[in-house]
């Protein structure tokens, strides 16, 4: 097991399932938190650390964020997350990866303009190898 936990923020139940399955099958983590939009994810991350940290899986060291979601999209989440860093310093340990179907260059540039966003991966069927390589870059695999 590599990571204590992962948070997946995506409104697509199918995409969350596929990514969760990959992370578990690759033995990257067995604890996966899911949110269907950015606001739900921010609420989760704002939870009392004392209550959540007892399992040592909080905060999740890796967070995947989709762009197009209802209520609060991925870019709005990134803005909220950057503000949350001011009050929750433990979140500075989190690595964020945009995981989106958007191939728009401006989306990639905006996402990676946030220093805590380490990668931008485009969703497609053959992305599991690329995903694994990206994770290995940030978290040495044992």
């Amino acid at each position: 097991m590599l990571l204590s936990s992962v948070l997946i923020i995506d409104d697509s139940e199918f995409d969350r399932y596929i990514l969760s399955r990959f992370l578990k099958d690759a033995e990257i983590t067995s604890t996966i938190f899911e949110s269907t939009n950015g606001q739900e994810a921010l609420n989760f991350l704002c939870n009392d650390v004392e209550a959540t940290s007892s399992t040592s899986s909080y905060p999740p060291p890796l967070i995947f964020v989709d762009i197009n979601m209802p209520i609060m999209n991925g870019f709005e989440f990134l803005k909220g997350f950057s503000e949350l860093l001011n009050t929750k310093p433990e979140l500075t340990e989190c690595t964020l990866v945009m995981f989106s179907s958007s191939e728009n260059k401006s989306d990639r540039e905006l996402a990676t303009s946030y220093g805590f966003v380490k990668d931008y991966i485009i969703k497609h069927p053959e992305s599991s190898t690329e995903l694994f390589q990206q994770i290995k870059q940030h978290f040495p695999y044992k």
Side-chain angles (χ1 to χ4, degrees), residues 39 43 53 97 114:
Q39 185 60 60
N43 291 344
S53 64
V97 174
Y114 289 90

Side-chain angles (χ1 to χ4, degrees), residues 34-49:
E34 295 183 8
S35 294
T36 59
N37 63 69
Q39 185 60 60
E40 189 178 283
L42 286 177
N43 291 344
F44 167 77
L45 294 171
C46 284
N47 277 342
D48 182 21
V49 178

Side-chain angles (χ1 to χ4, degrees), residues 100-119:
S100 178
S101 56
S102 173
E103 295 184 38
N104 189 326
K105 183 180 177 186
S106 63
D107 284 343
R108 177 184 297 270
E109 289 170 352
L110 179 56
T112 56
S113 71
Y114 289 90
F116 49 80
V117 176
K118 302 301 181 193
D119 282 302

